[in-house]
Amino acid sequence: MSEIPKNLKYSKDHEWVEISENIATVGITLHAAESLGDIVYVDVNSLDKNLSQFDKFGEIESVKAVSDLYVPISGKVIEINEALLNNPEFVNEDCYDKGWIIKLEINDTKDLEELLNSEEYQKII
Amino acid sequence: MKKTILHSSHKKLEAKLVDFAGWEMPINYPAGIIKESTFVRESCGMFDVSHMGRVEIFGENAKNFIEKILPIDVNSLNASSAKYTLLIDEKKQILDDLIIYKISEDKFLLVINASNTEEDLDWIQKINNDVSINNITPDTSMIAIQGPRALNKINLLSNNAITDLGRYKYKEINLQGYSIFVARTGYTGEDGVEIICNNKDAENIWNILLENDVEACGLGARDLLRIEAGLHLYGHEINKNSNPIDIGLGRLLESKSKNYINYDYIKSDEIQKGKESLVGLVILDRGIAREGNEIYIDNKIIGNITSGTHSPRINSAIAIGMLEKNYNNIENTVKIKVREKFLEAKIVKLPFYRRKRK
């Protein structure tokens, strides 16, 4: 069974978010990575954009399928994990660490109330 | 959903199972599609293909009947040999692509697509009046063992029983005490074999192969490998209304006998007047073109994608597409509409991958 880190928050669309002061790091969950299978492209077209919670921020594509990516929290996209452009397999290998996708600058954390904790997320997968 | 005899073996290996033509089949194992495809290209992988239909046709008039329903030159098909061919009905509709094995003058085996098994059988029964037709699919299992080391592995396990087995030939051999039918055929672009065995032996044979470092591979890898090799898949590159010449299979229409129900059709001008052709496409932008995506040149739709994937050998997305003939020049650049984006692609000759022959 997929292991779900306890320190993260989760969206129903299978993104995770980690908050450190005013920076939110976002990726997809192991459950999502396993469902997609071998990931071959990660594309983010929202650098420097202000996005609202659950807005689309990019696409992730595996050999089998393509899937939209949504921000689990409102904020401005300030960084993309450049390593993923050439090494999209990082998402399959380690989705919670070197497979992170974007960093957002956030104003507040009230959006987190809309998200799931690890136990709640476990129940929907 | 129907299950093959090896279903529990797939579960044991933690395969991801999906519905394929009414069968619950492994799309991939934990290694994943890309690694599985690489096992086959570099070493040896195996696929459970027991869902494919296996039908025996036998009786005094079997040869005549085969000549009537298939576009092969039945006299050039020797015993212990196989041939790739098409099943075309009396309305010129392609019902299936298949491999026919000649067992003897009065016995043949057809291996047909799982998705078409019922319709093929219905039509064959309808045409039949004097041969016996036996669907052995439920009683047998089938495993494809493919890759540069495939023949070696089988030889090691069978006292070198297939050192003399030519391409598209088959024989009955003994593999570690199990009697199997082994044919040097496949659907990956690699050398290898496809074996048919009794259901009761399938799991043991599968396990023997696993113990000998043959990697289990799913239908996802099989699809990737066959696209790289430019091989047709029914429902994608071949459809009911396809013109066999347009889809690059004109060479299969070799019948010399007026006994063949479509003899007039295959010799007609009509079949020569196709307007389309299959091409390979290498995607230059990031993204995979998939079945149904439209192909454009100068804002005009000139065709559709029939299959698409990502190739670790080419290191980019690749696709097979059906194009209007006027536009099929190699090296032409086209645009493919993928969701809301247009991806640039280059037309190339099929296949994308060709194995080095010894």
Side-chain angles (χ1 to χ4, degrees), chain B residues 139-234:
Chain B
D139 308 317
T140 54
S141 294
M142 186 164 173
I143 303 170
I145 301 133
Q146 302 278 299
R149 296 200 185 133
L151 298 184
N152 260 341
K153 299 257 184 202
I154 300 297
N155 274 322
L156 277 172
L157 294 168
S158 67
N159 242 329
N160 292 323
I162 60 162
T163 48
D164 57 349
L165 188 67
R167 285 190 53 76
Y168 274 79
K169 300 281 176 192
Y170 74 85
K171 66 201 282 194
E172 309 250 354
I173 66 164
N174 183 304
L175 184 125
Q176 303 280 293
Y178 301 103
S179 171
I180 62 169
F181 171 104
V182 49
R184 195 163 159 203
T185 51
Y187 190 51
T188 58
E190 290 304 325
D191 208 345
V193 297
E194 294 177 298
I195 68 171
I196 299 173
C197 64
N198 287 321
N199 279 342
K200 65 175 171 46
D201 301 332
E203 196 176 347
N204 289 338
I205 292 169
W206 178 266
N207 288 334
I208 288 169
L209 293 167
L210 276 182
E211 284 159 20
N212 283 275
D213 300 323
V214 179
E215 298 283 347
C217 301
L219 296 181
R222 189 170 156 85
D223 194 52
L224 165 48
L225 291 160
R226 71 94 193 163
I227 294 172
E228 285 181 337
L231 298 170
H232 299 68
L233 175 60
Y234 192 92

Side-chain angles (χ1 to χ4, degrees), chain A residues 34-43 56 59 61-68 84-86, chain B residues 16 27-28 31-35 224 285-290 308-310 316-317 339-341:
Chain A
E34 284 178 349
S35 306
L36 283 165
D38 289 318
I39 289 160
V40 289
Y41 296 108
V42 179
D43 277 324
K56 182 178 166 181
E59 291 178 356
E61 183 152 27
S62 71
V63 178
K64 281 186 288 198
V66 61
S67 186
D68 287 334
L84 290 188
L85 295 177
N86 293 320
Chain B
K16 183 186 279 284
I27 183 153
N28 59 268
I33 293 174
I34 289 184
K35 280 196 184 123
L224 165 48
D285 291 322
R286 291 164 58 82
I288 297 178
R290 297 182 192 270
T309 189
H310 183 272
S316 74
R339 309 216 297 166
E340 71 276 26
K341 285 185 294 197

Side-chain angles (χ1 to χ4, degrees), chain A residues 41-51 55-60 66-71 75-82 85 101-104, chain B residues 286 338-342:
Chain A
Y41 296 108
V42 179
D43 277 324
V44 176
N45 52 7
S46 53
L47 187 63
D48 296 328
K49 282 189 188 150
N50 282 301
L51 300 177
D55 278 356
K56 182 178 166 181
F57 74 87
E59 291 178 356
I60 190 160
V66 61
S67 186
D68 287 334
L69 294 164
Y70 304 98
V71 285
K76 182 179 175 184
V77 181
I78 55 163
E79 193 180 341
I80 297 170
N81 185 355
E82 294 285 340
L85 295 177
I101 301 173
I102 56 166
K103 288 188 198 286
L104 294 158
Chain B
R286 291 164 58 82
V338 179
R339 309 216 297 166
E340 71 276 26
K341 285 185 294 197
F342 283 89

